[in-house]
Amino acid sequence: EFHYPFDLCGAIYRISAVQRLIVDIEESFGATTLGSPNLLEVHGNRVWDADASIPSTLLCFDRAAAVVVSVNRVQTDYAVPICRPLVQLRDGEATTDTTVVDDMERFQHLLLTAWDYDAEEYSSTLFSSVHTGRVYLAHRREQNPRPGAETLPEEVSMQPPTVSVLLPVRDCEAFLDAALQSLAEQSYPDFELLIILDELTNDATREKLSEILDRGEWQRDRRGVSVLPFGGPRDEDEGEGRLARILNYGISHCRGTLVARADADDVYHRRRIEDQAKFLLFNETIDVVGSAALVVSGEAAQELLHFDEVASASSLRTRVYQTQPLLLPWSSLFGCPLAHPCVMFRRDRIECSGGYPEAACEDYRLWSRMLFTDATDGGCGIQRSAALANLPQVHLIHRKHGKSITAGKAHRQRSAEAVANCMNSFLHFSTRNPLGSRAPGRRGSADDQEGDENDRSQAGQGNLGSARATIEKHGREEERAAVEVSVEVARQLASGTDVSLRSLRDAQELVRILETLEDRYASYLRGTWEHATGLPKGMTVDRAVCFVTEDVTNRIGVIASTAAASFGAAGVDLLAQWIQRTRRGAGPKRR
């Protein structure tokens, strides 16, 4: 972390900077401090912060590099809390045991005999903090990892691939080579590439595509490339639902159980497919997974040819999305929660949800439908209330250029309409189902349930208490059942810190809607996910509710501050109400 740059757990330093640091520590705090790792680290950060002459250019990887397992104490200088290790043993594909180990000798015995840390499990788990008490061990005789980047045996080469990469192509002659090259370099070999060639393409995309696919990289170690035309010479359908129809057409031809979306003007990290496929194969409850993205604009967007070249780009920004499945639905209420060019999903889940809606922002509307629908599809028996997640790794370089669909004022208007659609879908869903609809999954293990009970007891209410509170709150919610979010209100709420108010009534309406969303979301979480299993570890329902409460408090603070600056005494009253809210304990908390 940048506020704690000298970290002995997992950082790399230039020796010249560390040598200077050691000299300063000894001069300031004495030579005895150099013999303790913790004192060395603490005093090192103090010196680093105070001495401007020490080089301080700090960089962080674009992917998780380490997990700190806090189960043993190696120093006595500080009373750093440690975790009771929750040890999960995996023998082959099966988890054989999950237990809390109080005896460190037994834990050490496991590591010294036939067990190793399970790197596959750690790399496929989303943690809400750097430190964890969870210990994953895999039996040492297991030589092969779970499905991943292993070489495909010849005898299964005719079997359906695990992943189908779905790539719509139109008017992208200038960028197609870079996009396909990044897919050819993927570390995960078990995929097919389906290219949907839009017949309305106006440039030389068709010829460029044929030229690229004739090269060697697409002739080896791949399940195959299919080019499927969409439309015909008389097809003049330029409607907003065209991309949705292209995607639904492509999904109907996919053979993989997992489908990875890709865009022909973007570039992908070589581990994109591998990381996402492993995550979905490990986490069977998750239906859709995305990733963080680097957005490149200006001249760099026109010239970028390879993922590694992004380091020299002058105009870029990182776009990070909510990673936790319990919080991603809340994030979706204020904007699209996934980078569509870099999502991977279970094909049957999308098919059971009816595919992409034929409208603008088809991806955002699909996620809203999957998250906030209470019906069960009659044909496949899969409950529609879906689980979505994002990986924190940067897997996508997304170009912003003149031909981008997401560029321009018209797209911003359509995005505001999609936000309003999502909020209203959620409000209608939660009105019909005040306790939500149960998500699939067995009951959690005894240890998981014990952890949940601890969290609930800390929050001051258990299962029965939370259900009773929800029912008592339902009367208040019925009064708000008629809430309908307009496009303008959705635009204001989605803007975050950029709120423009025409009147005090506007401010009061925004606050009312935020509090309604807050109330309903707590019920949604407790009803839908309280007993769900198979979600990535690291976040409980109670923690998610606290996060939402803090977020609403911050959003109301922006509205109240704007109202106080714009409407005098009446606006100050709203600001005073916000201050009372924070004092009641609903405001941001230090963790």
Side-chain angles (χ1 to χ4, degrees):
E1 299 182 34
F2 290 157
H3 71 276
Y4 199 78
F6 190 51
D7 186 350
L8 302 183
C9 284
I12 299 175
Y13 306 93
R14 296 193 184 280
I15 192 168
S16 57
V18 175
Q19 287 172 334
R20 174 66 184 274
L21 193 66
I22 295 298
V23 171
D24 287 357
I25 292 173
E26 187 172 5
E27 291 178 353
S28 301
F29 300 100
T32 57
T33 62
L34 301 180
S36 164
N38 287 71
L39 290 177
L40 180 66
E41 193 175 84
V42 170
H43 293 326
N45 280 288
R46 290 175 182 171
V47 170
W48 202 316
D49 188 51
D51 191 345
S53 68
I54 298 178
S56 57
T57 301
L58 310 174
L59 296 178
C60 184
F61 288 130
D62 61 2
R63 61 196 312 107
V67 176
V68 181
V69 185
S70 303
V71 299
N72 62 327
R73 191 185 303 281
V74 296
Q75 54 81 37
T76 58
D77 298 297
Y78 294 94
V80 180
I82 61 172
C83 306
R84 298 171 67 200
L86 180 62
V87 178
Q88 175 179 302
L89 306 178
R90 176 166 67 89
D91 191 354
E93 290 297 315
T95 298
T96 60
D97 186 28
T98 300
T99 182
V100 174
V101 177
D102 289 315
D103 184 356
M104 288 305 298
E105 289 187 5
R106 181 190 169 200
F107 175 55
Q108 295 292 343
H109 176 73
L110 289 172
L111 289 177
L112 290 173
T113 53
W115 299 88
D116 285 323
Y117 283 104
D118 191 346
E120 293 290 323
E121 186 76 27
Y122 278 110
S123 65
S124 300
T125 301
L126 289 178
F127 294 99
S128 58
S129 63
V130 175
H131 294 76
T132 179
R134 292 187 174 269
V135 179
Y136 301 129
L137 302 179
H139 201 275
R140 203 165 285 159
R141 70 166 176 263
E142 181 182 290
Q143 298 298 322
N144 296 321
R146 297 189 190 187
E150 62 270 14
T151 304
L152 294 174
E154 239 179 75
E155 59 268 21
V156 299
S157 61
M158 298 307 294
Q159 297 297 321
T162 302
V163 178
S164 296
V165 178
L166 183 57
L167 179 71
V169 170
R170 175 179 175 178
D171 296 337
C172 56
E173 175 191 3
F175 308 121
L176 186 58
D177 202 346
L180 287 173
Q181 184 64 31
S182 69
L183 293 174
E185 295 174 355
Q186 290 295 304
S187 61
Y188 190 89
D190 188 13
F191 75 89
E192 65 174 354
L193 176 63
L194 269 72
I195 300 174
I196 312 299
L197 178 61
D198 191 338
E199 294 289 358
L200 293 185
T201 188
N202 292 313
D203 62 5
T205 294
R206 186 179 290 100
E207 293 75 17
K208 186 69 174 179
L209 178 61
S210 298
E211 172 196 330
I212 295 170
L213 294 183
D214 285 340
R215 297 178 191 163
E217 59 262 33
W218 288 109
Q219 308 302 320
R220 65 173 190 273
D221 298 333
R222 302 292 168 195
R223 290 296 181 92
V225 180
S226 301
V227 179
L228 304 177
F230 182 86
R234 298 183 180 180
D235 184 358
E236 298 178 357
D237 177 14
E238 290 277 13
E240 289 182 334
R242 184 175 182 85
L243 178 57
R245 288 189 288 278
I246 289 174
L247 293 174
N248 290 333
Y249 172 74
I251 291 172
S252 70
H253 288 81
C254 288
R255 297 188 299 147
T257 56
L258 306 177
V259 177
R261 269 282 286 116
D263 273 356
D265 56 353
D266 293 332
V267 179
Y268 296 93
H269 191 282
R270 67 181 302 273
R271 285 181 57 95
R272 178 257 167 124
I273 296 178
E274 179 178 352
D275 288 347
Q276 291 183 329
K278 284 186 174 181
F279 181 81
L280 289 178
L281 292 171
F282 273 46
N283 299 282
E284 296 181 357
T285 303
I286 304 299
D287 303 298
V288 186
V289 64
S291 298
L294 284 173
V295 181
V296 183
S297 56
E299 186 176 337
Q302 301 294 327
E303 298 178 353
L304 189 74
L305 297 177
H306 196 273
F307 199 97
D308 294 341
E309 295 177 9
V310 73
S312 61
S314 58
S315 179
L316 60 88
R317 65 184 187 276
T318 305
R319 183 170 293 169
V320 180
Y321 297 85
Q322 177 58 248
T323 60
Q324 293 293 339
L326 295 183
L327 293 174
L328 193 141
W330 176 257
S331 175
S332 75
L333 297 177
F334 304 95
C336 188
L338 301 159
H340 192 208
C342 198
V343 298
M344 182 179 289
F345 50 76
R346 301 185 191 280
R347 176 164 53 89
D348 61 349
R349 207 64 165 88
I350 301 301
E351 291 171 340
C352 287
S353 297
Y356 285 92
E358 296 183 9
C361 302
E362 67 289 329
D363 55 326
Y364 189 8
R365 292 178 183 272
L366 174 60
W367 316 141
S368 302
R369 177 196 294 171
M370 294 176 69
L371 288 168
F372 306 129
T373 305
D374 59 352
T376 300
D377 186 90
C380 61
I382 298 179
Q383 195 175 39
R384 287 181 181 253
S385 187
L388 281 59
N390 279 294
L391 298 181
Q393 294 95 318
V394 175
H395 283 143
L396 165 70
I397 297 179
H398 181 55
R399 300 182 199 260
K400 287 288 187 182
H401 54 87
K403 294 183 179 180
S404 297
I405 295 177
T406 54
K409 184 177 180 180
H411 177 73
R412 290 193 292 272
Q413 172 65 19
R414 292 192 293 267
S415 296
E417 293 169 358
V419 171
N421 170 75
C422 184
M423 288 186 176
N424 288 321
S425 297
F426 171 70
L427 289 169
H428 297 160
F429 171 77
S430 60
T431 299
R432 293 191 303 270
N433 300 273
L435 291 176
S437 57
R438 297 294 178 190
R442 58 172 177 78
R443 289 281 299 187
S445 68
D447 298 302
D448 291 335
Q449 293 170 29
E450 179 185 354
D452 290 342
E453 289 299 330
N454 289 337
D455 286 328
R456 282 192 289 272
S457 64
Q458 291 171 3
Q461 67 181 43
N463 268 343
L464 183 60
S466 65
R468 185 181 298 113
T470 302
I471 293 171
E472 290 171 354
K473 198 185 301 178
H474 185 48
R476 252 189 311 149
E477 292 182 346
E478 282 297 331
E479 297 175 4
R480 295 171 172 172
V483 171
E484 188 78 18
V485 179
S486 68
V487 174
E488 179 57 32
V489 167
R491 180 185 291 108
Q492 295 273 40
L493 292 176
S495 66
T497 58
D498 184 23
V499 178
S500 58
L501 303 172
R502 293 171 298 181
S503 66
L504 181 62
R505 183 183 296 273
D506 284 352
Q508 292 168 335
E509 176 67 6
L510 293 178
V511 171
R512 184 175 77 95
I513 291 175
L514 279 172
E515 291 181 336
T516 302
L517 294 172
E518 177 188 14
D519 286 347
R520 303 257 181 100
Y521 197 77
S523 300
Y524 165 78
L525 283 180
R526 299 195 188 286
T528 305
W529 298 114
E530 188 82 70
H531 301 297
T533 62
L535 290 176
K537 307 168 184 67
M539 177 67 67
T540 65
V541 167
D542 285 307
R543 289 174 185 168
V545 170
C546 289
F547 176 92
V548 169
T549 299
E550 293 174 12
D551 186 51
V552 170
T553 299
N554 292 334
R555 290 175 182 272
I556 291 176
V558 173
I559 297 168
S561 300
T562 304
S566 303
F567 308 120
V572 171
D573 286 343
L574 190 62
L575 185 60
Q577 294 173 24
W578 172 75
I579 293 173
Q580 291 177 2
R581 175 186 169 98
T582 62
R583 288 176 175 172
R584 287 197 303 268
K589 300 179 180 64
R590 294 278 182 184
R591 288 201 180 96

